[in-house]
């Protein structure tokens, strides 16, 4: 019988409303989710009352096997329990599935309402890309006569070939695949460029001021630091205060006329370093901050020096005209692509998810089908919830009982599907709206049972110094830290080491023209050889004793295998 922590027990046993489980890496979330299901069955519940959804088939299969084994073990101890006996075969047909498979089931069970064939095929990525290329070629060939302002769009985008326009169409269309109400989104996108709509202007000024507030904070701190470091820094402090005034000026502007005027007036004097203070840490830090501000103003904000309120208003009208043409092109492309798919009775996963939305929501309200599904499942358990996108979020809301039977597990820090338009901010928002004392309830699993304290301390150090709500979408405070959950044998020299290789530095014995990746590979190989040659000792968990390191104990992790020479 596992020894559960207090928070794990809460996640296993708590019922009565919407539950959000923020589960850190190595916190045993799969075991907890499985145990919650098993407890429900052992207490008399039916496994087919539950919908359990995750991202991969492997994860769904692992969970199904784990649940089945636990029920079988319980039945062996209590062979007269007919309820447990009946649950064993039900596990095999219960809804422990991937999101894509669940959407596909909904579409196939309601194919007649979608005017599609029940036995449709699922397109592979390669097959869909071939179709996309065929369709976009036909659409762009006819664009001059079919799409209003297409020629203006080409000019506006400064595109001279259809290949470049094609990429823009693909980008917008791929994004539309991840949102539920596509036509409404397109309408709103166009309306944002109306004369009386200041959304984009306000958004731009907000972004500029947020960045300037960061510089303001850094400048105020470094000025104090320079003041306390040396009396010889008076001139540097004067320069820093002048630059701080530039920042404050930008923070106070609210029009393009004012902003362009302020930006054009900014100049950075040559910095004069007091004699003998070249390597002073405070001075070095100031130089870095100053250089970064200079780049921000002179490079990133340079174009805004020439934008006035009048020119912005004209550009806004041009934007609206171009956006309407682009979205008309996208709608035409998507319509033709869907017709092509219908003709071959084959659809992509994103098409099938959109079919599910069409079946579950009409005119902003849940359909009868959605109401029936929401009555069918006593609880909906969603794993890896941090990687849901807006479309998936809408589907689960539609089939839930007013959200009250949702059990969501995730960790924003582990979101890996941004490239597929995952929206970890949805999970973050659910966490912020939840409470530890009432429903919707937040339960945090912060103990890590996978790694040593030294590994966790290093991870916490990196995350504490890098992750904020603005950068990484997580405020890495005590509630987000990783805490040691497992016990390990005492060891020596286990602190994390960081080795930085200067790619520009050349070793006398080094071969010429080595790439940075090759230099890293050589360094790693030498490090491994040294550990093997010197009989570095590791602890063998299976044997319960120390032994000499072997090649199979070592793993090399890379950001990507592309261009790797490992």
């Amino acid at each position: 019988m596992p020894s559960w922590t207090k928070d794990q027990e809460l996640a296993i046993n708590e019922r009565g409303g919407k539950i959000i489980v923020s589960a850190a890496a190595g916190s045993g979330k799969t075991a907890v989710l499985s145990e919650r299901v098993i407890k429900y069955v052992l207490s008399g519940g039916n496994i087919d009352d539950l919908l359990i959804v995750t991202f991969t088939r492997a994860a769904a299969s692992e969970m199904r096997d784990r649940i089945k084994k636990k029920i079988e073990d319980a039945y062996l101890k209590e062979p007269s329990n007919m309820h447990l006996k009946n649950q064993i075969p039900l596990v095999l047909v219960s809804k422990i599935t991937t999101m894509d498979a669940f959407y596909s089931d909904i579409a196939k069970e309601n194919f007649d309402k979608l005017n599609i064939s029940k036995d449709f095929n699922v397109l592979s990525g390669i097959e869909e890309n071939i179709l996309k290329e065929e369709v976009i070629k036909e659409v762009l060939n006819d664009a001059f006569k079919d799409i209003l302002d297409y020629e203006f769009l080409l000019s506006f985008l400064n595109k001279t070939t259809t290949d470049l326009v094609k990429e823009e169409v693909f980008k917008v269309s791929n994004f539309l695949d991840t949102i539920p109400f596509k036509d409404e989104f397109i309408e709103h996108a166009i309306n944002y460029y109306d004369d009386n709509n200041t959304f984009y202007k306000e958004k731009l000024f907000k972004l500029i001021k947020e960045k300037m507030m960061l510089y303001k904070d850094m400048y105020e701190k470094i000025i104090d630091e320079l003041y306390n470091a040396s009396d010889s820094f008076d001139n540097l402090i004067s320069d820093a205060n002048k630059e701080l005034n530039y920042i404050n000026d930008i923070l106070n502007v609210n029009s393009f006329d004012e902003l362009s005027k302020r930006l054009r007036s900014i100049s950075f004097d040559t910095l004069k370093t007091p004699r003998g203070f070249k390597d002073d840490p405070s001075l070095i830090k100031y130089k870095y901050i100053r250089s970064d501000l200079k780049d921000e103003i002179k490079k990133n904000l340079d174009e805004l020096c020439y934008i006035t309120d009048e020119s912005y208003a004209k550009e806004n009208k041009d934007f609206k005209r171009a956006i309407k043409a682009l979205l008309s092109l996208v709608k035409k492309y998507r319509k033709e692509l869907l017709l092509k798919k219908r003709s071959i009775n084959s659809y992509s996963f994103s098409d099938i998810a959109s079919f599910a939305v069409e079946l579950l929501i009409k005119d902003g309200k849940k359909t009868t089908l959605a109401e029936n599904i929401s009555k069918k499942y006593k609880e909906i358990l969603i794993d890896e919830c941090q990687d849901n996108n807006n479309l998936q979020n809408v589907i689960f809301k539609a089939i839930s009982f007013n959200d009250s039977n949702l059990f969501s597990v995730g960790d924003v820090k582990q979101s890996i599907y941004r490239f597929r338009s995952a929206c970890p901010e949805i999970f973050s928002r659910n966490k912020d709206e939840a409470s530890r004392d009432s429903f919707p309830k937040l339960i945090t699993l912060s103990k890590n049972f996978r790694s040593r304290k030294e590994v966790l301390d290093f991870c916490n150090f990196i995350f504490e110094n890098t992750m904020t709500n603005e950068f990484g979408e997580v405020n890495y405070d005590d509630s987000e830290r990783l805490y040691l959950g497992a016990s390990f044998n005492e060891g020596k020299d286990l602190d994390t080491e960081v080795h930085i290789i200067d790619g520009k530095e050349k070793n006398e014995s080094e071969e010429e023209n080595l790439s940075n990746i090759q230099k890293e590979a050589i360094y790693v190989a030498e490090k491994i050889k040294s550990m093997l040659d010197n009989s570095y000792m590791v602890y063998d968990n299976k044997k319960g004793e120390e032994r000499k390191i072997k090649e199979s104990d070592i793993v090399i992790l890379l950001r990507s295998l592309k261009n790797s020479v490992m």
Side-chain angles (χ1 to χ4, degrees), residues 4 8-19 21 29-43 50 52 67 378-381 404-409 439 443:
W4 304 106
Q8 285 176 328
E9 283 187 346
L10 193 61
I12 290 166
N13 298 313
E14 188 71 16
R15 299 184 189 277
K18 181 179 180 179
I19 296 173
V21 180
K29 70 177 180 66
T30 304
V32 165
L33 202 154
S34 300
E35 188 67 16
R36 181 178 177 85
V37 174
I38 292 157
K39 277 283 185 78
Y40 176 78
V41 173
L42 295 182
S43 63
L50 306 176
I52 306 165
I67 292 167
K378 297 281 178 31
E379 187 167 69
I380 300 169
L381 301 96
S404 64
N405 61 337
L406 288 177
F407 182 87
S408 305
V409 183
F439 294 106
I443 301 170

Side-chain angles (χ1 to χ4, degrees), residues 57 123 135 168 185 193 332 378 447 459 511:
R57 282 180 288 183
L123 290 165
V135 171
E168 298 297 331
F185 174 84
Y193 291 96
K332 173 77 172 172
K378 297 281 178 31
K447 286 195 172 181
C459 290
E511 295 179 29

Side-chain angles (χ1 to χ4, degrees), residues 53-55 97-105 349-350 352-353 392 420:
V53 187
T54 189
F55 260 80
T97 184
T98 65
M99 294 185 180
D100 289 330
F102 177 65
Y103 307 150
S104 183
D105 288 345
F349 285 122
S350 58
I352 297 165
Q392 292 159 340
R420 291 185 187 171

Side-chain angles (χ1 to χ4, degrees), residues 107-251:
K108 286 182 177 179
E109 289 164 9
N110 299 274
F111 69 96
D112 52 327
K113 297 173 185 173
L114 294 166
N115 194 28
I116 62 173
S117 173
K118 183 178 181 178
D119 61 345
F120 61 79
N121 300 308
V122 177
L123 290 165
S124 69
I126 294 174
E127 289 170 332
E128 186 179 26
N129 285 338
I130 291 171
L131 279 183
K132 285 179 175 180
E133 291 292 341
E134 288 178 9
V135 171
I136 193 66
K137 185 178 180 181
E138 294 169 5
V139 169
L140 290 177
N141 282 342
D142 296 334
F144 279 102
K145 63 182 177 64
D146 290 348
I147 306 298
L148 181 66
D149 279 335
Y150 178 63
E151 191 171 353
F152 175 80
L153 173 65
L154 290 175
S155 172
F156 184 84
L157 293 175
N158 197 24
K159 306 297 187 187
T160 55
T161 70
T162 54
D163 281 345
L164 298 173
V165 178
K166 177 181 74 175
E167 294 308 314
E168 298 297 331
V169 172
F170 283 166
K171 279 183 199 173
V172 177
S173 182
N174 291 341
F175 170 74
L176 290 174
D177 283 339
T178 69
I179 61 174
F181 311 114
K182 302 167 192 357
D183 290 339
E184 290 88 335
F185 174 84
I186 289 172
E187 186 178 337
H188 286 309
I190 293 171
N191 289 340
Y192 275 132
Y193 291 96
D194 285 346
D195 292 342
N196 58 351
N197 193 326
T198 59
F199 174 82
Y200 285 114
K201 179 182 176 182
E202 290 171 4
K203 188 79 171 173
L204 175 61
F205 275 87
K206 183 173 181 285
L207 289 172
I208 293 171
K209 291 184 179 185
E210 283 176 352
K211 192 71 178 284
M212 288 300 131
M213 281 300 297
L214 294 175
Y215 284 116
K216 179 182 170 73
D217 181 59
M218 288 190 285
Y219 260 83
E220 287 174 347
K221 287 177 180 176
I222 197 61
I223 287 171
D224 285 342
E225 199 172 312
L226 290 168
Y227 180 82
N228 293 320
S230 173
D231 293 337
S232 300
F233 288 160
D234 287 349
N235 288 335
L236 291 175
I237 292 170
S238 177
D239 288 339
N241 275 311
K242 179 181 175 183
E243 290 150 12
L244 179 58
N245 288 335
Y246 291 152
I247 295 168
N248 286 324
D249 285 344
I250 294 173
L251 285 170

Side-chain angles (χ1 to χ4, degrees), residues 256-420:
F256 285 104
D257 288 345
E258 291 177 86
L259 180 61
S260 62
K261 181 180 177 183
R262 295 294 183 193
L263 290 174
R264 288 197 303 272
S265 69
I266 293 174
S267 63
F268 289 85
D269 298 330
T270 303
L271 208 60
K272 296 179 181 178
T273 303
R275 187 182 299 275
F277 288 89
K278 180 183 176 184
D279 297 321
D280 183 87
S282 298
L283 176 59
I284 292 171
K285 189 188 295 185
Y286 168 51
K287 284 182 175 179
Y288 272 111
I289 295 170
R290 184 180 191 266
S291 175
D292 199 57
L293 174 67
K294 194 174 178 180
D295 283 346
E296 179 68 21
I297 290 174
K298 297 300 182 183
K299 294 180 181 178
N300 297 344
L301 299 181
D302 181 61
E303 288 186 19
L304 296 175
C305 290
Y306 311 101
I307 296 180
T308 64
D309 291 322
E310 183 180 350
S311 64
Y312 172 76
K314 180 184 182 304
E315 192 168 300
N316 199 49
K317 287 181 179 178
D318 289 344
F319 256 110
K320 183 173 182 177
R321 188 177 169 191
I323 288 292
K324 285 181 77 172
L326 176 60
L327 292 176
S328 295
L329 192 61
V330 170
K331 287 176 77 173
K332 173 77 172 172
Y333 158 73
R334 289 178 66 85
K335 179 183 176 183
E336 295 300 324
L337 181 61
L338 187 57
L339 286 172
K340 179 79 77 174
K341 289 174 179 177
R342 284 184 185 276
S343 70
I344 60 172
N345 193 32
S346 300
Y347 304 95
S348 67
F349 285 122
S350 58
D351 294 326
I352 297 165
S354 294
F355 289 159
V357 172
E358 186 180 334
L359 290 165
L360 298 170
I361 301 168
K362 188 171 180 62
D363 300 327
K365 295 179 181 179
K366 292 168 70 165
T367 62
T368 302
L369 175 63
E371 295 286 359
N372 290 338
I373 294 175
S374 66
K375 292 171 186 174
K376 179 179 180 181
Y377 296 115
K378 297 281 178 31
E379 187 167 69
I380 300 169
L381 301 96
I382 311 168
D383 195 11
E384 305 292 358
C385 209
Q386 76 278 353
D387 285 317
N388 282 3
N389 59 35
N390 282 302
L391 185 146
Q392 292 159 340
N393 187 53
V394 163
I395 289 174
F396 289 117
K397 275 181 169 290
I399 63 171
S400 71
F401 190 71
N402 299 323
D403 273 13
S404 64
N405 61 337
L406 288 177
F407 182 87
S408 305
V409 183
D411 180 17
V412 176
K413 300 185 293 298
Q414 297 185 66
S415 179
I416 59 172
Y417 288 111
R418 269 291 194 186
F419 67 96
R420 291 185 187 171

